[in-house]
Amino acid sequence: MLKKYIIGMWCIALSVSAISCKKASMANNESEHQAINRIEMLFKQGGTTVSTIVAEDPDGDGGNPPSRIDNINLDINKIYDVEVKFFNISNGVTKDLSSTILQQAKQHEVYFIISGLTLPVEKKDKDDNGFPIGLISQWKTGNAVGKGTVLLKLMHKPLVKGANDDPNKGHSDIAINYTLNVK
Amino acid sequence: MKNLLKAIKISIFCLIALFIFEDEAIAQECNFRLSGIIYDGTNQQILAGATVSILGTDKIAITNKSGLYRFSKLCAGTYRIKITHVGCVPLEANLVVNSADLTNQSFNLLHSTEQLSEVLVSSKYDSDVNSIKSSLTVEEMQKLKGGTLGEMLKQLSGVSVLQTGSTVFKPVIHGLHSQRVLILNNGVRQEGQQWGAEHAPEIDPLVASRLTVIKGAGALRYGSDAIGGAVLVEPRSLDIDTGLRVELNSIYSSNNRMGLFNSIIEQGIKTKNSAWAWRSHLTYKRGGNARTPDYWLHNTGVQELNYSLHAGYQRDNTKADIYFSAFNTKIGIFWGAHIGNLTDLENAIKNKTPLFNIDEFDYQIGRPSQEVSHYLIKAKLTQELSKYRRINFVLSHQENFRKEFDRALIDNNPELDLNLGTTTADINFETDRFSNTNQQFGFTVQRQANVWSGSRFFLPNYTNLLLGLYGIRKWDSNDLQFEAGLRYDYRSLEVFRNQNGQNFQIDRQFNNLSSSFAINYVPNNNVSWLNNFSLAWRPPHVNELYVNGLHHGTANFEIGDPSLNSEISLKYTSQLNYQWNKDTYFDLTLYTNYIQNFINLVPVLPATLTLRGAFPTFQFKQADALLSGSDFTFNTALNQSISYRLKASVLIPRNLESRSWLQQMPAPQIDQEISWYFSPGKKGNYISTNALWVARQRFIPDNFIDYLAPPGEYLLFNLNFATDLRLMKTPVSLGASVFNLFNVRYRDYMNRFRYFSDEVGTNVVIRLKINI
């Protein structure tokens, strides 16, 4: 009697290893797939792009630090039209996320926080509520040569976005510090 | 001669039964003694190790090798006693203790093989008396209904919670939590994503009729890795004598406007030589945003739908039962705590009120949120091999699904999607003889597979094979009871990684030997002194080894260390219980837990730089730790209707390596309660008030880079009311509680969202229970 039970139970116990086999061995790629991992700032004059500033972190948050953050080099006494573009590059496929951000414009705002020198920036685009977005902006350099930094922030703030929000309102989707040279 | 003895015994019993109906007067003297011998009803041999409990009191006696049980310092009166012994039909009887100062009463227990037992599936999975544990009383359970498992358990001294906002509560036992605390759901080890500090146990506490916490590694049968302790979630026994029984619970919470409905339907059916019983349970709850004294917390709603079905069958010497349970929840994560980087966190801390919040009530749950489902199916077979030997076989499968929704940029899928499947087979062989020993040994095999998907890596895929072998022996000699247990575990871990398209596999093996030894000294029925020594090993969890990513809802970047070794815990716990009389007792627990290679998340430099900004970085590191502390409970009755209770606990968490303290450990606290039972003798009719004082945590690491110092001490007052009524002959229990009566503004060190918002304000809870 006992023998019969023990044998039966052993068989079930041994088959356990076969029951819960999932495809654990087919691992997903660990590099972040849907985050913004490339940002381009297009500096234009008269509709022509004069400089493209790139920031890139191909393997997403963690792993290796951002592989590239260009310096922003501008000339004195110039007016630049600046377009910011956000991309996700994953497995060789590039997705332009700027259009998604534009679609969700009421939840987003781009900020340029410049320190070290004076450089007025005016946001040229507005969402459906008439609040600034910042994907398109105009930068005016003065006649002073100097060095500084630009903190580019993409803030996510669904339902709470207002006309003159503090750059800290919401949470940061992007925060990159660029070196700025005005020559 | 034997028959004559039996006849005398029956006569005495009948006489006593007569007394019960004759005189229920209560004398105030409490010097009476009660003793007797428990026999096996079939062969009249004495039964050692039988439990004799006086119902409605805390008095319990275990028969010694002569089958003798003793109670002393009893007040005169009528008592209902219950006698249980493994493999026997429990017996309940009324007894009168009066005039004579020694009442002698012996009983015969019938063996369950002789007769169908009343109980098909026992509610108690851990029958050992030699582990240090505490349970919520029936009244406490009723009072706390509507809360999560963690919120209910924190009422026990020595148990606290690790909170994530107002919605996620994890039980913490003597400072340890997550993988170090084992949760047994109806006798099965809960296998969820317990590694995460913001992952609450996937269990509906309303399935339980009893919640017990074992402090320390006292549950060797279920695994050695629970070096913090174990939580037993025990449903009521499936009784065949129940008939059809329906219980309905309805609960409303004012703070988050939460409504809860729960139904339990059960039935027992008996035929000539077989019996079966079943029970179903259903819970639905929905709550909206919680409110602090000053503002609403946006996106803190909760939804839950849980159900279970349990059925048992018995015929001759075989018992079988099958249990299925489902737990589904959707939890909102407070908006204001959803930060992008360190700068956001610093800004959030600078502001007294959350910077990113909508100060309105709403039931809507948006991103960020969690969706968690847990399914369990369990089949158990018990075969009586002979009168005193039985074999238990348990086969179970669990599926855990966890989805974390953070930020949708490309699609609406969760950023992190984890699926953990666990199959366990357990064979357990038990013997209990007439002599004073009881032993069991068993074998467990478990297979586990975790698969992740989503767009954000946190925890790799893995498979886990566990083989466990254990033996536990109990014996007693006069005033001493002993228990010794030994367990060996083999764990084989296979981890599957894919870094930038490069697949590779990592294999690790762990061999651990754990043991526990307990001595319980019971010189009389007033004193019991339980000493427990345990040596337990916990292999590092996959997340501690290989995690690499941003933690959801916090601005922490966490990095695992593949070279971590097993934690080894050596714990001594001593529990002294002294009982003056029925209502006055104290319980003092002292413990010291030396943990070699304690795995701890410590800050490292430099911060992780990303395109989203900088993140403070934490790495799993090992250090030797010493966790010592004490839990104290004192209870007394001022008179028949007013009682006072004090609970206090303190923990000293030492990091031996840095000669400093460990972070995120519970602060000392004292909870005092005064209850007025307005109809004497009825525990269900009372008004009580309690004051909970929690100190400011002063044991914090010297050089720890915490963003915010521990919050200050706080004092909370709660009010409770309960009454049992009859509405058109239907028993109805009505209860009401006011938590945080004075709407105190406070923050708690053990809440991971203390950086962002205050704790919730006043909450009025109304409970209605109907038995049909």
Side-chain angles (χ1 to χ4, degrees):
Chain A
M1 179 75 170
L2 178 61
K3 212 172 167 184
K4 193 180 83 186
Y5 268 94
I6 289 181
I7 291 169
M9 284 159 188
W10 259 107
C11 288
I12 301 174
L14 288 173
S15 66
V16 162
S17 52
I19 297 170
S20 65
C21 270
K22 274 186 220 143
K23 294 221 168 124
S25 55
M26 307 280 282
N28 229 3
N29 194 333
E30 292 169 16
S31 303
E32 196 156 354
H33 305 295
Q34 294 195 352
I36 297 161
N37 55 12
R38 181 183 167 96
I39 294 118
E40 289 179 7
M41 286 172 84
L42 308 178
F43 285 80
K44 298 176 187 175
Q45 280 179 328
T48 317
T49 304
V50 292
S51 150
T52 303
I53 309 299
V54 175
E56 212 172 13
D57 189 2
D59 67 350
D61 296 340
N64 299 312
S67 58
R68 178 176 167 189
I69 299 177
D70 294 349
N71 290 348
I72 301 173
N73 297 317
L74 303 177
D75 295 331
I76 54 165
N77 295 321
K78 288 272 163 62
I79 297 174
Y80 293 92
D81 294 310
V82 180
E83 187 183 353
V84 188
K85 289 185 145 184
F86 300 94
F87 299 95
N88 167 260
I89 305 172
S90 175
N91 300 321
V93 181
T94 305
K95 288 177 197 148
D96 187 349
L97 302 180
S98 317
S99 54
T100 313
I101 291 164
L102 196 61
Q103 273 168 22
Q104 304 171 357
K106 284 197 273 187
Q107 306 179 6
H108 288 101
E109 188 169 351
V110 181
Y111 291 92
F112 308 95
I113 300 152
I114 294 165
S115 43
L117 45 85
T118 314
L119 202 166
V121 174
E122 192 191 340
K123 292 175 196 174
K124 290 291 194 187
D125 45 359
K126 290 195 175 357
D127 64 21
D128 292 348
N129 292 330
F131 303 149
I133 308 170
L135 288 171
I136 311 283
S137 60
Q138 197 172 68
W139 301 34
K140 284 180 185 164
T141 53
N143 54 7
V145 172
K147 266 195 158 192
T149 57
V150 178
L151 172 62
L152 168 75
K153 281 182 102 177
L154 171 63
M155 296 305 286
H156 184 221
K157 40 185 174 177
L159 305 175
V160 295
K161 185 175 168 180
N164 291 302
D165 286 339
D166 183 281
N168 291 325
K169 190 170 182 180
H171 66 86
S172 309
D173 274 344
I174 287 296
I176 309 168
N177 252 309
Y178 296 88
T179 303
L180 173 66
N181 297 310
V182 178
K183 288 183 274 193
Chain B
M1 188 64 192
K2 232 177 199 176
N3 283 341
L4 184 67
L5 271 173
K6 208 170 182 178
I8 293 170
K9 270 181 215 154
I10 290 168
S11 318
I12 293 171
F13 188 74
C14 290
L15 269 173
I16 289 166
L18 277 175
F19 275 117
I20 293 164
F21 298 106
E22 207 175 76
D23 185 13
E24 283 198 64
I26 300 162
Q28 288 310 308
E29 288 165 85
C30 296
N31 282 319
F32 300 140
R33 289 179 292 155
L34 169 68
S35 72
I37 295 170
I38 308 297
Y39 295 95
D40 185 309
T42 42
N43 53 17
Q44 291 301 301
Q45 285 189 273
I46 51 158
L47 275 183
T51 307
V52 183
S53 42
I54 302 182
L55 300 179
T57 73
D58 301 313
K59 288 192 183 292
I60 291 177
I62 312 287
T63 55
N64 65 12
K65 64 180 173 187
S66 313
L68 184 72
Y69 73 92
R70 286 180 300 197
F71 290 102
S72 60
K73 297 208 175 170
L74 290 178
C75 304
T78 306
Y79 294 101
R80 186 155 181 87
I81 68 165
K82 185 174 184 177
I83 307 154
T84 54
H85 188 265
V86 192
C88 289
V89 183
L91 178 73
E92 284 191 26
N94 285 331
L95 262 180
V96 173
V97 176
N98 61 5
S99 59
D101 61 355
L102 173 67
T103 307
N104 210 317
Q105 181 61 55
S106 298
F107 293 95
N108 290 323
L109 277 193
L110 280 179
H111 209 273
S112 57
T113 52
E114 308 287 314
Q115 180 187 316
L116 290 170
S117 70
E118 282 174 26
V119 174
L120 265 186
V121 178
S122 165
S123 66
K124 292 199 79 185
Y125 286 91
D126 185 70
S127 58
D128 68 281
V129 286
N130 294 330
S131 52
I132 295 179
K133 55 187 165 188
S134 49
S135 301
L136 287 172
T137 62
V138 177
E139 291 77 36
E140 282 172 324
M141 290 278 291
Q142 180 61 22
K143 176 170 93 181
L144 299 164
K145 268 185 186 169
T148 62
L149 183 66
E151 286 172 284
M152 291 177 84
L153 292 172
K154 76 170 179 185
Q155 299 302 313
L156 296 170
S157 73
V159 183
S160 45
V161 287
L162 179 62
Q163 253 177 278
T164 301
S166 60
T167 46
V168 177
F169 298 84
K170 270 182 96 82
V172 180
I173 304 173
H174 287 170
L176 300 174
H177 58 82
S178 300
Q179 292 294 320
R180 300 182 182 103
V181 170
L182 185 152
I183 298 172
L184 280 177
N185 182 6
N186 197 358
V188 177
R189 253 185 91 115
Q190 178 84 0
E191 292 289 347
Q193 304 285 358
Q194 280 309 309
W195 50 270
E198 82 283 25
H199 302 174
E202 305 91 346
I203 290 179
D204 179 6
L206 292 175
V207 300
S209 68
R210 196 177 146 91
L211 291 172
T212 305
V213 165
I214 297 183
K215 299 168 179 178
L220 265 190
R221 181 175 164 181
Y222 304 97
S224 61
D225 48 349
I227 65 174
V231 175
L232 311 183
V233 179
E234 299 167 312
R236 210 192 347 255
S237 312
L238 273 182
D239 290 355
I240 53 177
D241 289 333
T242 308
L244 182 67
R245 189 181 150 269
V246 179
E247 179 186 319
L248 301 174
N249 282 289
S250 179
I251 298 164
Y252 175 77
S253 272
S254 70
N255 185 286
N256 59 348
R257 301 180 194 169
M258 186 196 78
L260 181 149
F261 172 79
N262 162 262
S263 75
I264 296 166
I265 307 171
E266 59 190 337
Q267 190 177 22
I269 299 156
K270 205 171 356 181
T271 61
K272 200 180 165 207
N273 51 8
S274 70
W276 72 287
W278 63 273
R279 177 190 304 127
S280 73
H281 134 269
L282 174 79
T283 303
Y284 175 75
K285 84 174 178 189
R286 187 169 189 192
N289 292 344
R291 190 179 160 79
T292 71
D294 305 298
Y295 46 86
W296 292 98
L297 299 167
H298 188 70
N299 200 40
T300 51
V302 59
Q303 265 183 53
E304 231 176 84
L305 176 67
N306 313 315
Y307 45 91
S308 70
L309 186 67
H310 195 180
Y313 177 79
Q314 183 185 5
R315 192 187 172 91
D316 302 329
N317 298 335
T318 309
K319 281 183 191 177
D321 77 282
I322 186 152
Y323 178 68
F324 170 77
S325 81
F327 175 88
N328 299 284
T329 187
K330 185 172 180 180
I331 299 171
I333 305 288
F334 174 50
W335 259 24
H338 195 236
I339 45 168
N341 58 25
L342 183 55
T343 319
D344 290 356
L345 174 62
E346 284 165 352
N347 288 324
I349 290 169
K350 255 186 257 164
N351 282 275
K352 288 263 179 277
T353 55
L355 202 59
F356 187 37
N357 193 18
I358 300 171
D359 190 8
E360 283 170 13
F361 177 80
D362 200 343
Y363 278 109
Q364 211 66 37
I365 300 171
R367 286 170 180 255
S369 63
Q370 305 178 352
E371 278 180 35
V372 181
S373 299
H374 192 96
Y375 301 94
L376 161 70
I377 185 151
K378 170 200 161 192
K380 184 180 176 188
L381 184 73
T382 301
Q383 175 68 38
E384 303 283 345
L385 299 168
S386 70
K387 273 184 186 170
Y388 311 106
R389 288 188 305 154
R390 76 196 57 82
I391 190 162
N392 297 300
F393 179 68
V394 183
L395 186 68
S396 66
H397 185 78
Q398 296 172 69
E399 283 290 332
N400 184 289
F401 300 93
R402 179 176 187 88
K403 292 184 168 76
E404 293 188 355
F405 297 84
D406 190 356
R407 174 81 174 85
L409 258 182
I410 294 177
D411 55 39
N412 277 322
N413 295 333
E415 271 74 6
L416 184 63
D417 189 338
L418 297 167
N419 174 208
L420 179 70
T422 309
T423 308
T424 312
D426 184 70
I427 300 167
N428 170 271
F429 185 76
E430 258 184 289
T431 45
D432 44 85
R433 297 205 168 272
F434 295 134
S435 61
N436 51 346
T437 64
N438 167 289
Q439 53 211 348
Q440 55 173 305
F441 59 91
F443 178 70
T444 298
V445 52
Q446 186 191 73
R447 167 99 181 174
Q448 201 167 52
N450 183 61
V451 176
W452 79 278
S453 60
S455 57
R456 183 177 298 167
F457 172 71
F458 199 79
L459 186 78
N461 286 4
Y462 63 85
T463 61
N464 209 344
L465 177 71
L466 175 95
L467 304 174
L469 198 64
Y470 61 88
I472 300 162
R473 190 181 164 92
K474 292 173 208 173
W475 68 100
D476 68 343
S477 101
N478 299 323
D479 297 338
L480 293 170
Q481 294 160 11
F482 301 93
E483 183 186 312
L486 195 65
R487 184 181 170 106
Y488 165 75
D489 284 291
Y490 165 79
R491 194 181 285 256
S492 160
L493 177 69
E494 289 177 327
V495 178
F496 304 94
R497 310 283 305 258
N498 174 349
Q499 286 175 334
N500 300 315
Q502 297 286 313
N503 283 291
F504 59 102
Q505 186 180 336
I506 309 155
D507 295 345
R508 289 210 54 184
Q509 272 86 36
F510 300 93
N511 291 284
N512 293 333
L513 193 67
S514 309
S515 57
S516 74
F517 182 70
I519 307 172
N520 193 6
Y521 175 57
V522 191
N524 53 53
N525 283 314
N526 297 89
V527 181
S528 84
W529 185 32
L530 177 54
N531 294 277
N532 189 305
F533 306 86
S534 66
L535 172 71
W537 296 61
R538 183 183 75 93
H541 189 258
V542 179
N543 86 301
E544 291 160 332
L545 293 167
Y546 304 110
V547 67
N548 193 341
L550 260 177
H551 214 153
H552 176 67
T554 63
N556 285 359
F557 203 91
E558 294 180 8
I559 301 173
D561 179 358
S563 66
L564 294 177
N565 294 313
S566 291
E567 286 180 345
I568 306 164
S569 150
L570 189 64
K571 187 172 183 180
Y572 167 67
T573 318
S574 164
Q575 185 185 44
L576 180 69
N577 183 286
Y578 190 89
Q579 181 126 21
W580 278 276
N581 57 44
K582 198 164 124 251
D583 300 305
T584 306
Y585 59 85
F586 80 77
D587 187 322
L588 175 70
T589 302
L590 296 168
Y591 60 91
T592 182
N593 191 358
Y594 169 74
I595 306 174
Q596 196 182 0
N597 296 329
F598 183 71
I599 300 172
N600 204 5
L601 200 57
V602 294
V604 288
L605 288 170
T608 303
L609 194 66
T610 74
L611 293 181
R612 288 201 270 173
F615 292 93
T617 305
F618 292 79
Q619 196 167 8
F620 283 104
K621 292 199 170 172
Q622 295 191 298
D624 294 350
L626 187 71
L627 299 169
S628 312
S630 172
D631 305 329
F632 179 72
T633 305
F634 172 72
N635 201 86
T636 189
L638 303 179
N639 58 39
Q640 281 215 329
S641 53
I642 295 175
S643 74
Y644 167 82
R645 194 211 59 213
L646 180 143
K647 287 191 288 191
S649 59
V650 63
L651 166 67
I652 304 163
R654 192 78 182 149
N655 182 332
L656 299 175
E657 216 131 298
S658 65
R659 293 169 185 276
S660 177
W661 311 104
L662 294 164
Q663 78 270 18
Q664 205 155 50
M665 290 286 170
Q669 62 174 64
I670 297 170
D671 186 4
Q672 298 180 79
E673 183 175 57
I674 290 180
S675 306
W676 174 50
Y677 295 92
F678 51 81
S679 38
K682 286 190 179 171
K683 283 249 171 190
N685 293 346
Y686 66 90
I687 293 172
S688 72
T689 179
N690 75 307
L692 169 72
W693 175 79
V694 178
R696 178 191 169 94
Q697 180 56 285
R698 290 173 199 281
F699 298 125
I700 50 168
D702 289 340
N703 300 310
F704 185 61
I705 319 155
D706 200 345
Y707 319 109
L708 188 65
E713 60 176 15
Y714 62 86
L715 178 65
L716 297 182
F717 286 88
N718 304 320
L719 210 58
N720 291 294
F721 159 77
T723 185
D724 292 333
L725 312 161
R726 275 187 180 274
L727 277 183
M728 292 182 293
K729 292 186 181 169
T730 307
V732 171
S733 300
L734 187 67
S737 300
V738 187
F739 298 106
N740 193 358
L741 183 63
F742 300 114
N743 211 17
V744 171
R745 205 176 282 116
Y746 71 104
R747 296 192 184 198
D748 190 281
Y749 181 59
M750 294 293 282
N751 189 338
R752 297 166 70 247
F753 280 5
R754 68 188 166 91
Y755 307 116
F756 310 107
S757 69
D758 293 334
E759 296 288 330
V760 297
T762 302
N763 186 18
V764 180
V765 181
I766 295 164
R767 285 174 294 266
L768 182 70
K769 181 174 113 175
I770 304 172
N771 283 307
I772 303 169

